[in-house]
Amino acid sequence: MTWDYLIVGAGFAGAVLAERLASQRGATCLVIDKRAHIAGNAYDRYDAAGVLIHTYGPHYFRTNSDRIVAYLSQFTEWHHVDYKILSWTDGRHWQFPINLNTFEQLLGRASTSEEMERTLAEWRVPFESPRNSEEVIISRVGRRLYEMFFKNYTRKQWKRDPSELDASVCGRIPIRTNRDDRFVSDKFQALPKDGYTAMFAKILAHPKIEVRLNTDFREARKSVQFRHLIYTGPVDEYFDHCFGALPYRTIRFEEETLPVEYHQPAMQVNFPNDYEYTRVVEMKQATGQKLPVTTIVREYPEDFGPGREPYYPIPAPDTRALSERYAERAAQERGVSFVGRLATYRYYNMDQIVGMALAEFEKLRPLGPT
Ligand code: FAD
Ligand code: UDP
């Protein structure tokens, strides 16, 4: 048969587009993924101890968009949770992101928002428009806090100095002078009640959608017939790296189950200055699962290479020049839509990818009769 759409990737971008095209346009969609599961990097699963964990790092859903919440709520109920994390440095846990409580920890006494604002005003290094991740943080909190919490974490994570990364990388971490100690500020913060994989199973459960796992596009393109392609894999791979390989960062996830109810004082502890891992995540604290054991996951950032997953595009001036060449090439490719984090080489969160997929659906013209 000839499919209306061949969709490469069963992550947010691919699944949302398949659902829209099947349910709103009656289109037949074949969704393939080279992995053995749906949900892309948002995939979660119960491990051998029965703990629901996020296989590819913590995925904290958050958004300010009512439209995106309404769309996803067709497929899941929500477990509301304020994401709260800590940072470990100088032999102790610190409130993070930086807020008034962190400032009090630093002073060793009670303080006020006014005092914190006055002090930060003295510590700040002014920049009219910060051009990189070092400038953006020192322009908000000065060098001392930058060096405590950002400089070495960023070097570990990206193998680059913050001065070589776009301001948006570290700039996405809020800095507050009140006592709001949530990791992110978005008005909606919740996890799918039964997990991401269960939500994706519902998104994809449409009679016009077929999912084939363990199926690589490079093989499938030889045999599958289709009218339009939606590609959510790495854009450089699609074009056989014709302009050179785009750089990515990858992560090695080390899981450990422990015979205790909880291992650490928060769902996530960051380690800017100690150890080779960047953070330790205890997802059970976010999901609210009640169990006598727990599983933690340590994240070791590593170089990307053959056989490894390209988890992070690297937002920086040099990579942008190369990714723009691919974007121009992609715009010329007839009958193909490039959607999602890897296909557009953007460091985007899940809600942004859902938004991108919904916008692409609006843009796609109906295919018309065969
Ligand atoms: P993906 O989920 O990567 O899906 C693309 C799919 O395409 C993959 O399943 C891949 O196997 C498949 N594919 C690629 N090439 C081929 C091929 N040749 N053939 C067949 N299949 C192919 N976002 C948040 O909002 N909150 C968070 O807390 C958060 N934490 C994150 C933590 C980590 C460690 C990472 C890596 C990302 C995090 N994100 C988070 C971002 C989130 O993962 C992405 O925004 C989202 O998953 C992107 O969806 P996507 O569909 O574009 O890509
Ligand atoms: N970051 C940091 N210290 C921290 C947390 C984050 O320097 O304790 C920087 C780092 O460069 C990181 C970026 O801010 O890559 C974004 O952090 P986030 O936790 O949002 O990253 P992600 O969940 O996407 O890995």
Side-chain angles (χ1 to χ4, degrees):
M1 79 176 268
T2 299
W3 295 89
D4 290 329
Y5 292 91
L6 172 62
I7 301 180
V8 179
F12 270 102
V16 168
L17 270 157
E19 188 282 326
R20 288 288 85 188
L21 291 163
S23 72
Q24 304 301 302
R25 302 241 172 106
T28 55
C29 298
L30 175 61
V31 180
I32 61 168
D33 203 298
K34 65 179 180 183
R35 292 171 173 174
H37 57 73
I38 56 171
N41 284 341
Y43 175 64
D44 53 12
R45 67 176 208 285
Y46 291 89
D47 68 8
V51 186
L52 180 60
I53 57 167
H54 293 187
T55 301
Y56 305 105
H59 277 68
Y60 305 126
F61 186 82
R62 72 280 193 133
T63 189
N64 285 316
S65 164
D66 296 335
R67 177 171 170 250
I68 288 167
V69 174
Y71 173 73
L72 291 176
S73 300
Q74 298 175 85
F75 312 104
T76 189
E77 290 177 35
W78 298 96
H79 169 67
H80 290 274
V81 40
D82 285 338
Y83 307 119
K84 292 199 182 178
I85 73 171
L86 295 171
S87 183
W88 170 271
T89 187
D90 300 333
R92 64 178 289 190
H93 289 108
W94 298 80
Q95 292 260 336
F96 192 83
I98 295 165
N99 63 71
L100 177 54
N101 300 329
T102 324
F103 185 63
E104 290 186 338
Q105 287 184 293
L106 199 66
L107 298 182
R109 61 166 172 81
S111 181
T112 60
S113 296
E114 292 69 35
E115 186 188 15
M116 183 172 177
E117 272 153 27
R118 265 199 323 274
T119 309
L120 290 185
E122 283 167 25
W123 289 356
R124 276 181 199 125
V125 183
F127 286 98
E128 210 164 279
S129 57
R131 285 163 309 170
N132 58 52
S133 275
E134 179 187 29
E135 290 182 1
V136 78
I137 299 300
I138 64 175
S139 73
R140 288 180 192 168
V141 296
R143 278 205 181 272
R144 181 176 178 193
L145 291 168
Y146 163 73
E147 283 175 9
M148 269 178 85
F149 295 116
F150 290 92
K151 184 173 162 184
N152 293 330
Y153 185 106
T154 300
R155 286 181 165 182
K156 231 193 289 189
Q157 167 72 8
W158 301 96
K159 216 185 185 182
R160 282 177 179 232
D161 191 77
S163 60
E164 299 166 299
L165 288 163
D166 285 354
S168 59
V169 175
C170 288
R172 71 196 234 125
I173 305 294
I175 310 276
R176 306 190 187 98
T177 53
N178 58 22
R179 293 195 194 277
D180 182 354
D181 59 353
R182 296 169 308 158
F183 184 29
V184 292
S185 306
D186 304 52
K187 68 179 181 189
F188 185 86
Q189 306 187 20
L191 295 170
K193 201 163 175 203
D194 300 319
Y196 287 96
T197 309
M199 178 178 80
F200 272 78
K202 288 200 177 150
I203 296 176
L204 291 164
H206 190 282
K208 298 234 170 206
I209 300 176
E210 183 177 320
V211 179
R212 288 187 201 155
L213 300 174
N214 303 303
T215 304
D216 197 306
F217 174 58
R218 282 165 290 194
E219 285 305 311
R221 74 190 310 176
K222 295 178 193 156
S223 51
V224 177
Q225 301 197 14
F226 55 89
R227 299 175 67 197
H228 187 92
L229 177 67
I230 291 171
Y231 183 83
T232 77
V235 62
D236 54 337
E237 189 181 297
Y238 179 91
F239 291 111
D240 296 324
H241 307 104
C242 64
F243 302 127
L246 280 164
Y248 302 90
R249 284 299 274 167
T250 195
I251 295 180
R252 179 166 57 84
F253 298 100
E254 183 184 84
E255 295 169 13
E256 187 181 2
T257 298
L258 300 163
V260 292
E261 194 177 5
Y262 295 109
H263 163 74
Q264 60 186 24
M267 62 181 72
Q268 179 178 316
V269 178
N270 291 357
F271 293 88
N273 302 311
D274 297 273
Y275 312 115
E276 282 173 24
Y277 44 84
T278 47
R279 56 191 179 188
V280 177
V281 174
E282 187 171 19
M283 194 41 73
K284 200 181 130 188
Q285 295 200 32
T287 58
Q289 217 187 348
K290 300 274 177 268
L291 279 176
V293 296
T294 192
T295 299
I296 57 167
V297 185
R298 298 185 190 87
E299 296 188 19
Y300 296 85
E302 292 188 344
D303 292 335
F304 175 64
R308 301 195 149 191
E309 291 290 338
Y311 293 122
Y312 290 90
I314 303 177
D318 55 314
T319 64
R320 189 157 42 256
L322 186 55
S323 73
E324 275 170 7
R325 290 187 74 189
Y326 279 109
E328 280 163 25
R329 182 75 185 75
Q332 288 159 15
E333 190 80 345
R334 306 300 294 264
V336 187
S337 306
F338 293 85
V339 195
R341 176 149 144 150
L342 298 170
T344 60
Y345 199 76
R346 296 276 167 81
Y347 180 29
Y348 274 171
N349 288 328
M350 295 177 281
D351 61 324
Q352 294 173 297
I353 299 297
V354 174
M356 190 193 269
L358 294 175
E360 184 64 25
F361 167 70
E362 301 293 338
K363 260 184 17 205
L364 275 172
R365 289 222 216 96
L367 289 172
T370 37

